């Protein structure tokens, strides 16, 4: 029971305290305007280049942008606490680490999911992409899986932020990697083989692929292996992140790097 | 007049010094638009149309100038306020506009670095050859883009000052600007309702002038419109700036952090 | 509130936090517009002659903000010299002289981010004097500076007066105001409660002397009884670690020591002393009355 409370209440509180995304002055431009603008930018690039179709860019960029809250929220949740000198206070509590950090991840996953679904809905309206009502349930599930796996990556970055001073820059760089390597705007088979190989090992890639097939009318069953791989990659990163956090925590106790700015 | 130019020049130089001291911050300012330019050219590269690549490559080079100004100008006054220097700048006899303009121009100049880097990157990674018929007019057009984006930043810095989370506003202008100014997509492709916005943005005309100069044409009309718009931004910003400072003096909001 | 500062005078503005010292200064240096009333500096109205006022005044506030950390001290000074329209030839001479004045010669090439708090404060003073202003506004300039630095700062401020500058100073340190100011105004909740030379203020508040008695566990009725003595104007009890200090404001020509000690019989008494009132005594009485 205690763990459940730490998971839900603690997660929500830290989310609200740490980065204030609930402030509409940040929420609207950063999480609603920007993803739609990115979708439109690449959809028009695609039209100008005569490559792909609107739906291709719509799905790719909507899911790509879901990675922003997933990665940044985790990074800020940890680096923000270090900045406010509260990280030490949180870590000295006897709370179990797994629900503590996973609790932080839950609101983040929900945000990522909302951002992507909002981007898909508004983007399809603006671009005139018509997707049947039957497509949406599967699409929404694919978005959910993708947000989950991106949060796994966010956990790794959060751990890295115990050492790296500039979490925001790190987050941006990883976002750019996802933009270029994950088939967001260029299908994996059109990428140079080494880039495609990197993309295969990142979260997002399989989620985007599954969402594209679903949007074109594929059944959930036919993309299930893609979604499972996406989920597996995400869990892999999450496990890596938690392990790194645990190691960093012990290491920073030994070397007193926790509160270093 | 000479004193004023001297003041602008020195303020510009010192602000540039401040911006160039932290290569780490500059890193993202250059890498972020560069990676978006890369993603864009990757899309164009799928069909391998060289003319289209050259077209997009030229415009992509200016993306960084737009980014470096919009992202940092919107938080300019809040940063000065946070550093405690805003009051000192206002208390100085030099008109506030003459203090702000060199700052946003310095920001745009940092963006110029990314013009060069993007052009070289396009050549090395995508094999996009830069073919310029008239170098003089081309460079002039790039400078026109820089100066007018700086004036846009000046306007933005004044407009955004009451907006506490201005960084989010600045960042959200980045993509729409790339699209609306026709950096990587011909404006003719955009919906007609957006055309007036595109034509009201000075960089649209500067990029057009760059393309005309590269093709060996006569870009003077575009350059004239571009500079007129830039002057318009500056005049409007100066007007707003005076009102803003008066209101801040009345409501005691200059020092608040 | 209304006050005048003569040319060449050093005028101290004292008052508790929130009394309106900084607001007053900011109106005088044109950063705030008065909602009513008027103010002028050197005969220039602070609302209508803004540009001219700004040219002729300097402003320095305490603390370590208000500088460009990433620039050197020299570049900070050059930046503001330019904003104040100081002639290029004049600039070099002036900056050199000011660095000398604030004792920073040799360190001006380093970036401000590496400066100590005291150095930043001294740089601030130099910045405020760049254009050789006729009037200098100093808003709590010594806040957060170590005692040695504060002493040097006081010497610098005193030298401004020798150069014939008019100085308006706010501070929380009474000895600083006492030492530097020709005249002082004490403000409370936006109103002047007293104005005069430091000596006048001390006299006006407590024309008399102060008797201090250390006691160990003095009962409340005894304190009340002391206050009833005819020559005693007020009694304050200051709690210390192990004992209390009774501070009695007494009439000037009275000697109540024996009377007081008589009433304290049965209470353990430590040191007893009589002293002249300080500005702090006057200040505390003014702002708490």
């Amino acid at each position: 029971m205690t763990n459940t409370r730490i998971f839900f209440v603690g997660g929500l509180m830290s989310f609200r305290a740490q980065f204030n995304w609930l402030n509409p002055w940040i929420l609207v431009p950063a999480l609603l305007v920007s993803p739609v603008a990115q979708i439109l930018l690449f959809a028009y690039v695609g039209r100008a280049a005569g490559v792909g179709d609107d739906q291709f860019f719509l799905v790719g960029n909507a899911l790509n942008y879901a990675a922003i809250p997933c990665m940044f929220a985790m990074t800020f949740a940890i680096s923000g606490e270090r900045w406010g000198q509260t990280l030490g206070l949180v870590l000295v509590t006897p709370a179990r680490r797994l629900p503590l950090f996973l609790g932080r991840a839950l609101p983040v996953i929900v945000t990522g999911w909302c951002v992507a679904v909002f981007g898909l809905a508004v983007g399809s309206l603006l671009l005139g992409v018509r997707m049947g009502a039957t497509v949406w349930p599967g699409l929404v599930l694919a978005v959910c899986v993708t947000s989950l796996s991106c949060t796994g990556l966010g956990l790794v970055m959060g751990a890295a932020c115990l050492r790296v001073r500039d979490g925001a820059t790190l987050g941006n760089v990883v976002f750019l990697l996802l933009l270029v390597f994950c088939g967001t705007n260029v299908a994996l088979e059109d990428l140079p083989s080494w880039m495609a190989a990197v993309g295969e090992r990142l979260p997002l890639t399989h989620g985007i692929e599954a969402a594209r097939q679903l949007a074109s009318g594929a059944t959930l069953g036919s993309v299930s292996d893609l979604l499972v791989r996406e989920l597996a990659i995400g869990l892999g990163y999450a496990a890596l992140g938690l392990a790194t956090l645990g190691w960093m925590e012990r290491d920073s106790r030994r070397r007193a790097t926790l509160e270093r700015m | 007049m000479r004193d004023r130019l001297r003041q602008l020049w020195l303020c510009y130089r010192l602000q540039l010094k401040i911006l160039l001291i932290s290569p780490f911050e500059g890193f993202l300012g250059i890498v972020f638009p560069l990676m978006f330019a890369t993603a864009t050219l990757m899309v164009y590269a799928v069909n391998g149309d060289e003319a289209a690549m050259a077209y997009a490559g030229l415009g992509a080079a200016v993306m960084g100038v737009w980014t470096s100004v919009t992202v940092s100008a919107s938080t300019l006054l809040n940063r000065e306020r946070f550093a405690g220097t805003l009051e000192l700048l206002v208390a100085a006899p030099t008109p506030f506009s003459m203090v702000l303009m060199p700052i946003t121009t310095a920001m745009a100049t940092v963006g110029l670095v990314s013009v060069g880097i993007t052009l070289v990157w396009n050549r090395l990674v995508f094999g996009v050859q830069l073919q310029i018929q008239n170098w003089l007019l081309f460079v002039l057009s790039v400078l026109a883009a820089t100066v007018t984006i700086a004036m846009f930043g000046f306007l933005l810095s004044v407009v955004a000052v009451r907006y506490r989370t201005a960084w989010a506003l600045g960042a959200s202008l980045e993509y729409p600007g790339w699209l609306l100014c026709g950096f990587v997509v011909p404006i003719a492709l955009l919906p007609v309702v957006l055309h007036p916005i595109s034509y009201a943005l000075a960089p649209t005309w500067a990029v057009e002038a760059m393309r005309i100069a590269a093709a060996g044409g006569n870009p003077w009309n575009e350059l004239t419109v571009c500079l007129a718009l830039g002057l318009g931004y500056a005049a409007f910003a100066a007007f707003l700036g005076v009102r803003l400072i008066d209101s801040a003096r009345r409501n005691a909001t200059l020092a608040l952090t | 509130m209304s006050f005048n500062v003569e040319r060449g005078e050093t005028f101290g503005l004292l008052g508790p936090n929130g009394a309106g010292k900084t607001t007053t200064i900011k109106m005088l240096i044109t950063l705030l517009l008065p909602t009513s009333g008027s103010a002028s500096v050197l005969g220039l109205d602070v609302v209508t002659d803004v540009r001219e006022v700004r040219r002729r005044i300097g402003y320095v506030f305490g603390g370590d903000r208000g500088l460009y950390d990433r620039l050197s001290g020299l570049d900070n000074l050059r930046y503001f010299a330019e904003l104040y329209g100081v002639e290029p030839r004049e600039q070099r001479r002036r900056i050199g002289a000011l660095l000398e004045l604030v004792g920073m010669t040799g360190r001006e090439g380093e970036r401000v981010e590496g400066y100590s708090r005291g150095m930043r404060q001294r740089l601030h003073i130099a910045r405020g004097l760049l254009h050789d202003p006729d009037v200098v506004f100093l808003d709590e300039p010594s806040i957060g500076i170590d005692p040695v630095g504060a002493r040097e700062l006081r010497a610098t401020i005193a030298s401004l007066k020798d150069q014939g500058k008019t100085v308006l100073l706010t501070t929380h340190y009474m000895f600083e105001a006492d030492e530097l100011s020709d005249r002082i105004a004490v403000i409370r909740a936006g109103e002047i409660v007293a104005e005069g030379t430091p000596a006048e203020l001390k006299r006006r508040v407590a024309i008399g002397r102060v008797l201090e008695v250390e006691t160990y566990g003095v009962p409340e009725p005894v304190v009340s009884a002391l206050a009833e003595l005819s020559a005693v104007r007020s009694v304050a009890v200051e709690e210390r670690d192990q004992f209390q200090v009774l501070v009695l404001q007494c009439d000037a020509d009275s000697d109540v020591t024996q009377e007081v000690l008589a009433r304290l019989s049965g209470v353990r008494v430590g040191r007893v002393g009589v002293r002249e009132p300080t500005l702090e005594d006057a200040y505390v009485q003014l702002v708490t009355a």
Side-chain angles (χ1 to χ4, degrees):
Chain A
M1 187 57 210
T2 315
N3 281 348
T4 323
R5 269 196 62 81
I6 292 175
F7 180 76
F8 284 103
V9 180
L12 193 64
M13 295 297 283
S14 82
F15 184 72
R16 294 186 58 157
Q18 286 310 325
F19 75 131
N20 254 341
W21 288 93
L22 299 178
N23 172 355
W25 290 105
I26 297 177
L27 188 83
V28 172
L31 292 185
L32 301 182
V33 174
S34 287
V36 172
Q38 189 184 321
I39 290 167
L40 294 179
L41 176 69
F42 282 104
Y44 277 100
V45 167
R47 286 184 187 183
V51 175
D53 56 11
D54 287 349
Q55 185 183 299
F56 179 87
F57 293 102
L58 170 67
V59 172
N61 288 289
L63 265 69
N64 176 236
Y65 214 87
I68 291 255
C70 294
M71 296 188 315
F72 278 79
M74 284 318 284
T75 317
F76 285 178
I78 294 171
S79 64
E81 291 206 5
R82 178 159 79 161
W83 190 250
Q85 308 267 309
T86 47
L87 185 63
L89 297 180
V90 171
L91 290 182
V92 294
T93 62
R96 293 273 305 275
R97 297 300 179 257
L98 194 68
L100 183 72
F101 286 110
L102 285 187
R104 259 144 228 244
L106 185 70
V108 170
I109 295 167
V110 173
T111 314
W113 181 86
C114 291
V115 166
V117 170
F118 179 84
L120 280 173
V122 176
S124 67
L125 279 177
L126 290 177
L127 289 168
V129 174
R130 300 198 58 92
M131 291 187 286
T134 50
V135 164
W136 285 94
L139 208 50
V140 160
L141 179 72
V143 172
C144 190
V145 171
T146 311
S147 310
L148 200 76
S149 65
C150 287
T151 306
L153 182 59
L155 215 53
V156 178
M157 288 165 49
C161 280
L162 289 183
R163 277 298 158 69
V164 180
R165 274 160 37 131
D166 194 346
T169 303
L170 179 70
N172 274 300
V173 169
V174 174
F175 170 70
L176 291 170
L177 290 180
L178 297 181
L179 177 76
V180 176
F181 284 91
C182 292
T184 307
N185 292 303
V186 178
L188 230 51
E189 59 264 27
D190 287 329
L191 285 177
S193 56
W194 69 272
M195 288 179 75
V198 174
E200 291 279 349
R201 287 163 180 77
L202 289 172
L204 200 64
T205 310
H206 300 96
I208 288 179
E209 184 54 37
R212 278 191 183 129
Q213 293 185 15
L214 284 166
S216 308
T219 61
L220 206 52
S222 65
V223 297
S224 59
D225 61 321
L226 280 171
L227 289 178
V228 169
R229 285 182 69 180
E230 178 72 21
L231 199 59
I233 289 176
L235 289 178
Y237 277 101
L240 178 66
L242 284 173
T244 318
L245 269 174
W247 176 74
M248 289 266 188
E249 189 188 332
R250 285 189 299 278
D251 193 54
S252 20
R253 269 164 70 192
R254 198 170 60 239
R255 304 185 350 170
T257 48
L258 200 59
E259 303 286 345
R260 191 182 291 167
M261 292 292 180
Chain B
M1 186 63 197
R2 253 190 67 207
D3 285 352
R4 173 64 70 222
L5 287 177
R6 248 182 54 86
Q7 175 254 315
L8 289 173
W9 172 241
L10 190 115
C11 289
Y12 167 77
R13 264 182 41 214
L14 290 178
Q15 289 291 341
L16 199 58
K17 211 169 179 176
I18 294 179
L19 291 172
L20 291 179
I21 273 170
S22 166
F24 201 58
E25 275 168 34
F27 166 78
L28 201 61
I30 288 169
V31 166
F32 203 86
L34 184 63
M35 284 301 116
F36 268 81
T38 305
T40 302
L41 285 180
M42 279 164 63
V43 175
Y44 277 98
V46 171
N47 280 350
D49 179 349
E50 280 189 19
M53 300 263 301
Y55 177 91
L58 268 188
V62 196
M63 286 163 75
V65 185
W66 177 261
T67 297
S68 69
V69 173
T70 51
V71 171
S72 42
S74 52
T75 55
L76 165 64
L77 292 186
N78 280 336
R79 270 179 290 133
E80 295 281 347
R81 176 184 286 166
F82 194 71
T85 43
L86 184 60
E87 289 195 314
L88 300 175
L89 296 180
V90 171
T94 298
F96 196 49
S97 322
M98 298 294 149
V99 181
L100 288 186
M101 247 192 288
I103 304 184
T104 58
T105 309
M107 290 171 179
T109 310
V110 173
L112 267 183
V113 176
S114 80
V115 173
I117 290 180
T118 311
L119 290 175
V120 172
W121 175 267
N122 290 349
R123 173 76 188 266
L124 294 179
V125 177
F126 295 97
V128 179
Q129 300 269 0
L130 192 62
Q131 279 164 342
I132 308 292
Q133 299 297 326
N134 190 332
W135 270 101
L136 182 69
L137 286 176
F138 179 77
V139 171
L140 206 62
S141 305
V142 172
L143 290 180
T146 311
V147 170
T148 53
I149 291 175
M151 293 308 122
F152 183 80
F154 171 31
L155 180 58
L156 186 63
S157 70
V158 177
V159 170
V161 69
R162 300 301 276 276
Y163 187 48
R164 297 233 147 189
T165 50
W167 60 269
L169 172 78
S172 75
L173 286 176
E174 192 175 16
Y175 304 154
W178 290 344
L179 188 58
L180 288 169
C181 295
F183 290 156
V184 286
V185 173
I187 288 174
L189 272 185
L190 300 179
V192 180
V193 287
L194 295 179
H195 286 187
I197 306 179
S198 290
Y199 291 127
L201 290 169
T204 306
W205 301 89
V207 177
E208 195 51 34
M210 280 167 60
R211 290 189 172 124
I212 293 173
N218 174 7
W220 283 108
N221 285 340
E222 282 73 15
L223 282 177
T224 311
V225 177
C226 170
L227 292 174
L229 283 171
L231 272 179
Y233 298 162
F236 188 46
F239 167 75
L240 281 183
V242 172
R243 308 270 311 251
L244 176 93
I245 295 292
D246 277 351
S247 137
R249 286 171 62 203
R250 202 167 297 120
N251 302 315
T253 49
L254 277 176
L256 299 182
T257 45
Chain C
M1 87 171 140
S2 171
F3 63 89
N4 276 303
V5 181
E6 299 300 322
R7 277 194 193 223
E9 187 175 46
T10 298
F11 190 84
L13 210 48
L14 304 185
N17 290 327
K21 301 184 297 291
T22 300
T23 305
T24 307
I25 283 205
K26 284 187 178 171
M27 277 192 285
L28 292 173
I29 62 173
T30 76
L31 281 180
L32 287 179
L33 287 170
T35 46
S36 65
S38 68
S40 60
V41 175
L42 298 162
L44 301 160
D45 188 276
V46 295
V47 178
T48 53
D49 297 323
V50 175
R51 183 79 43 91
E52 199 50 38
V53 170
R54 287 177 183 174
R55 243 188 262 285
R56 298 175 63 176
I57 61 171
Y59 171 43
V60 176
F61 55 78
D64 46 12
R65 297 166 72 238
L67 294 165
Y68 291 99
D69 281 8
R70 293 174 169 193
L71 290 180
S72 65
L74 180 65
D75 279 344
N76 266 284
L77 293 181
R78 284 170 64 200
Y79 189 73
F80 279 98
E82 211 51 68
L83 294 186
Y84 276 92
V86 181
E87 287 290 315
R89 203 165 307 146
E90 176 72 6
Q91 251 183 51
R92 181 166 305 180
R93 198 187 59 74
R94 190 80 197 141
I95 290 176
L98 284 169
L99 287 170
E100 187 92 26
L101 175 76
V102 297
M104 281 188 54
T105 313
R107 301 286 306 270
E108 71 269 23
E110 296 167 32
R111 263 189 232 154
V112 170
E113 56 193 1
Y115 283 12
S116 70
R117 201 159 182 167
M119 281 176 72
R120 284 163 180 260
Q121 192 57 62
R122 282 182 282 160
L123 184 60
H124 255 310
I125 302 236
R127 186 196 50 71
L129 298 175
L130 277 169
H131 51 299
D132 198 13
D134 298 319
V135 185
V136 186
F137 293 86
L138 302 169
D139 193 3
E140 298 182 25
S142 51
I143 201 160
I145 301 189
D146 64 51
V148 177
R151 179 175 291 184
E152 286 167 5
L153 183 70
R154 286 200 298 278
T156 309
I157 296 173
S159 75
L160 295 179
K161 182 182 162 62
D162 299 339
Q163 293 169 37
K165 301 209 182 298
T166 311
V167 178
L168 198 148
L169 169 79
T170 76
T171 176
H172 281 303
Y173 302 115
M174 291 308 134
F175 58 92
E176 190 169 279
D178 199 356
E179 178 182 329
L180 293 171
S181 311
D182 298 315
R183 282 192 308 133
I184 286 174
V186 178
I187 60 178
R188 193 181 61 190
E191 282 180 21
I192 293 184
V193 290
E195 188 184 340
T197 64
E200 277 169 1
L201 284 190
K202 291 177 208 169
R203 230 176 304 143
R204 180 174 329 169
V205 177
I207 313 170
R209 43 207 346 199
V210 178
L211 174 67
E212 287 182 334
V213 185
E214 286 178 12
T215 59
Y216 296 81
V218 59
E220 184 56 37
V222 175
V223 176
S224 316
L226 288 177
E228 280 159 19
L229 286 172
S230 62
V232 174
R233 295 166 166 197
S234 71
V235 183
V237 184
E238 290 176 10
E239 290 289 339
R240 299 283 158 83
D241 287 345
Q242 306 286 326
F243 54 94
Q244 303 86 38
V245 179
L246 301 179
V247 182
L248 295 96
Q249 308 273 359
C250 309
D251 287 342
D253 43 4
S254 65
D255 186 5
V256 290
T257 314
Q258 292 312 320
E259 276 183 84
V260 169
L261 289 178
R263 303 220 171 182
L264 283 173
S265 63
V267 179
R268 198 179 141 208
V269 172
R271 275 189 302 169
V272 177
V274 176
R275 62 172 170 81
E276 293 302 308
T278 63
L279 189 60
E280 187 159 328
D281 293 316
Y283 173 80
V284 169
Q285 199 162 36
L286 278 168
V287 298
T288 54

